[in-house]
Amino acid sequence: MRGILGGVFDPIHFGHYRPALELMPILGLTEIRLIPCGHPVHRVSPQASAEHRWNMVRLIADGVKMVADDRELKSPEPSYTYNTLCSLKDEDPTPLCLLVGADALQGLPSWHRAEELIQLCHVAAVARPGSELEQSLPDSWGSRCTRDPETLRQSPCGRIYLHQGTLYDFSSTQIRDLIRAGTPPRYCVPGPVWAYIRHHRLYLD
């Protein structure tokens, strides 16, 4: 099973991918594919360019456990997760597991073609500060939830694994605010990403 971690990554930080690495042995993931969002549908445009966001993702991708994937950046179409999963499935039929935060899980039933999306993958939802994992999911989605990772291995798609894990109480927005205020976000982003941000003077205004 391959893990899929998408996001604007503006910038990518520990809260994005460390929970994914925690899930890797628990779910038996063969890799985690990092996919920067090209054209966000429900968010404001990223502050850093696609090139900068891609370069920062590449700095932490080792090509083995974490693989950088630029398919959404290359596509002129809006970045819908459903389309990305279809593209991945066309290339490789290996089961997929979409990795999301608890906040994203709550909105998942309203995503583009959500009922079809959940037939393409499992979902692993990681707790985040201020978000309850089981909070207000419709019954048809709540019934898919489990805290037993073996449940995902027993079916090709359609289950939602709830993972408490380590909480990271910061966001890309807070990191940008720290940089703008002149405070190094050393405990929020990996060293190579922080060096890249400083070199290119990103997020200063």
Side-chain angles (χ1 to χ4, degrees), residues 33-107:
R33 195 159 286 261
L34 301 170
I35 307 180
C37 182
H39 306 282
V41 179
H42 300 299
R43 296 190 180 190
V44 296
S45 297
Q47 186 168 334
S49 68
E51 179 183 7
H52 284 314
R53 291 184 295 114
W54 171 240
N55 288 339
M56 287 187 280
V57 166
R58 290 177 61 200
L59 285 171
I60 65 164
D62 60 9
V64 181
K65 285 187 175 182
M66 293 192 292
V67 178
D69 186 320
D70 63 351
R71 71 186 63 222
E72 288 192 7
L73 296 175
K74 288 180 175 179
S75 173
E77 303 298 323
S79 296
Y80 287 115
T81 300
Y82 171 80
N83 295 342
T84 299
L85 293 174
C86 287
S87 174
L88 288 161
K89 277 290 193 182
D90 286 343
E91 294 176 358
D92 184 344
T94 301
L96 302 173
C97 185
L98 181 65
L99 311 177
V100 301
D103 48 348
L105 175 64
Q106 307 314 317

Side-chain angles (χ1 to χ4, degrees), residues 7-16 46-48 52-53 56-57 170-177 179 185 188-190 193-194 196-197 202-203:
V8 178
F9 300 146
D10 194 24
I12 193 165
H13 56 71
F14 290 135
H16 286 128
Q47 186 168 334
H52 284 314
R53 291 184 295 114
M56 287 187 280
V57 166
F170 51 81
S171 66
S172 293
T173 299
Q174 291 168 324
I175 291 169
R176 294 195 301 270
D177 289 343
I179 295 169
C188 304
V189 297
V193 172
W194 175 228
Y196 184 93
I197 290 170
L202 301 180
Y203 310 122

Side-chain angles (χ1 to χ4, degrees), residues 1-30:
M1 185 159 54
R2 293 181 291 163
I4 308 301
L5 181 61
V8 178
F9 300 146
D10 194 24
I12 193 165
H13 56 71
F14 290 135
H16 286 128
Y17 67 88
R18 280 193 173 172
L21 289 174
E22 283 184 26
L23 285 167
M24 200 166 196
I26 295 171
L27 299 179
L29 303 178
T30 57

Side-chain angles (χ1 to χ4, degrees), residues 156-176:
C157 62
R159 300 308 300 265
I160 300 173
Y161 174 66
L162 305 177
H163 180 68
Q164 194 62 35
T166 304
L167 298 181
Y168 294 89
D169 195 9
F170 51 81
S171 66
S172 293
T173 299
Q174 291 168 324
I175 291 169
R176 294 195 301 270

